[in-house]
Amino acid sequence: KVSVQAPGGGQPQGNVTFYDAGFALGTVALGSTGSASFTTKALSRGTHAITATYSGSGNHRASTSPVLSQAVQ
């Protein structure tokens, strides 16, 4: 979920791109609650380094999530 840090305000808008070790998996628009989700069948078995990057908007800066280590069996 993309959230606003004080002293900012308003609802974030824009896109989130999901990556596996720097390779773009897909891009989705933020929903009305500031959340984005993405489903893929493109990941092979093994451990993947997943990140999400928010594109930012006129009132909100771009940001990237910490790495999530996701195991696929």
Side-chain angles (χ1 to χ4, degrees), residues 7-36:
Q11 182 66 36
Q13 296 177 341
N15 296 314
V16 175
T17 302
F18 292 87
Y19 294 89
D20 176 13
F23 175 77
L25 297 170
T27 300
V28 296
L30 284 177
S32 61
T33 62
S35 296

Side-chain angles (χ1 to χ4, degrees), residues 43-61:
L43 299 178
S44 61
R45 289 181 188 225
T47 303
H48 298 269
I50 306 296
T51 56
T53 299
Y54 170 58
S55 63
S57 68
N59 295 322
H60 302 94
R61 287 189 282 182

